[in-house]
Amino acid sequence: MARVVGIDLGTTYCAVAVADRAGTPSIVRNREGENITPSVVMFQGDTVVVGSQAKRSAATAPDHVVQFAKRYMGESNPIYHSESGTPYRPEEISALLLKRLKEDAELMLGEPVEQAVITVPAYFDDVRRKATQDAGRIAGLEVLRIVNEPTAAALAYGLDQSSADDGGEDRADGADGDGGAGIGTVLVYDLGGGTFDVTVMRVENGDYTVIATDGDRNLGGFDWDGAMMNHLNGAFMASGGPDLNEDNVLQAELRDKAEIAKRTLSNAPQAVVMFSVGGRHEQIRVTREKYEEITAELLDRTRILTEGVLEEARLGWDDIDRILLVGGSTRMPMVPKLIQRLSGREPERGIAQDEVVALGAALVALDASVRAEEAQEKRKYVGSGASVESSPGDGLARLTKGRVRSIKDVTSQSLGMVTTDLDNHDHQFNTVIIPHNTPVPAKKSDIFVTLYDRQRRFRVQVTEGDDEDLAYVKTVGESTIEIPQHPKGAPFEVVYSYDVDGIIHVEVKDGTTGKWLGEFELERPGNLSQTELSEFSDRVARVPTL
Ligand code: AMP
């Protein structure tokens, strides 16, 4: 059975895990022996340095270092230009990270790693999911599935809980309705390095169904670092020091120190930060209390999103059976304190916050490889005339299927279409076709009519967002198709489908003739073309990653 790895491609850290055939996941360390790899890439001439070494250099060579690529996934602008002027898009930077993770995993596992399951925040839209898939491809990985991070976390917890509860052999059937073992409604609060994500899901007899999800891709530990930076810099300037933000190197050093102080405050009531700049030495003391005060607004944004998701799910805290904290930033005491205040209960933090997503991804990866093996076995047995039921793949599949019977995600964004008012062609509005929080895979359609007699073309502009007003939605792709000529008002059915990886497919049917006009490719300005994909794959394959 080929090894399929689970990868948590985080904004600030990545983790890789594999599950053994019995369904126990474990972290695959990187070549430096670390469980997590900083999502930092440093360009050094023709070579690229990835991980801790690059992170350490962020302060000394900030102009050669690229971080937080995940925040820009799905945007078409380059986020870095090499010294020779080569532009790098977010997918390529992520691919360089993935390439290094792949190489490290191969080194540690002693076998080639060609397939992976990669996680993304649940609210990642189609463009960002496709960009993540592309990053995997550029890195030379076949991406079997894109899985939502909270779903992966819940999978890892479900497993952990069942071993704790049942202890024995039977625990493999995980959530089997005995009240323990991962059954019930789970809220996953995931505050990572760059993103916040909150999800309510139902876990029942091995089915993982997302009920509602929301998040903010610009809210994470990075912003808490920013608040600490402002505070430290303000205090340094108040004591007569220069503005540390005026110089790239000093600013990077400030960021480093701010992050360390933040982590210190997770364990200690105060932190002391030393600055020596231009002959000026200063010690700045920050208390946890002060830090909580200056970041209260950030934490409150997570509260608003969390309550919004509960409301969307039409649930109260009493309906939530388990609350999971995921992401390195939930180590800040203010997070469990907030959850405790809101829910009246202690959240769970049984598995290392920064490993839990990768561990869950490894379970999905195992499931994917078992299914692939099973399919192959079936083909073999059918081919030889033997009974399909007795194929050896079944025994193996039972092991994982008890836990990961199915993963049912929902769409995180509403998908709609730009619509022109029949009576007033100057008025355009958004028509939602697939509402947000619809279980995926989803397929829904709506009828639109032609505006003119003998209209030759039909334009489909796919939108993301709920609002009818186009000013408040985003156009994620468009295509114009040739249509048979009919009188004005001829109906055309537009069918949107959202596959399990969150990728959108659009089909159009001529309502007059009943003929399908075919499925078409969305032109998504945020994503790479086939030519760019292969060009970038060649480039990334050639770059030595250290
Ligand atoms: P993740 O992407 O989930 O690994 O989260 C990384 C984020 O967690 C970064 O912003 C880290 O600074 C933050 N983080 C990790 N450990 C701690 C800690 N002990 N206290 C506060 N923040 C932490």
Side-chain angles (χ1 to χ4, degrees), residues 8 10-14 36 190-194 220-222 225 259 262-267 326-333 353-354:
D8 172 9
T11 312
T12 48
Y13 287 92
C14 299
I36 55 175
D190 180 355
L191 187 61
F222 179 81
D225 295 345
E259 204 222 350
K262 172 187 79 172
R263 286 177 186 247
T264 306
L265 290 180
S266 294
N267 299 312
V326 177
S329 300
T330 61
R331 292 206 175 94
M332 296 186 293
Q353 283 99 326
D354 26 30

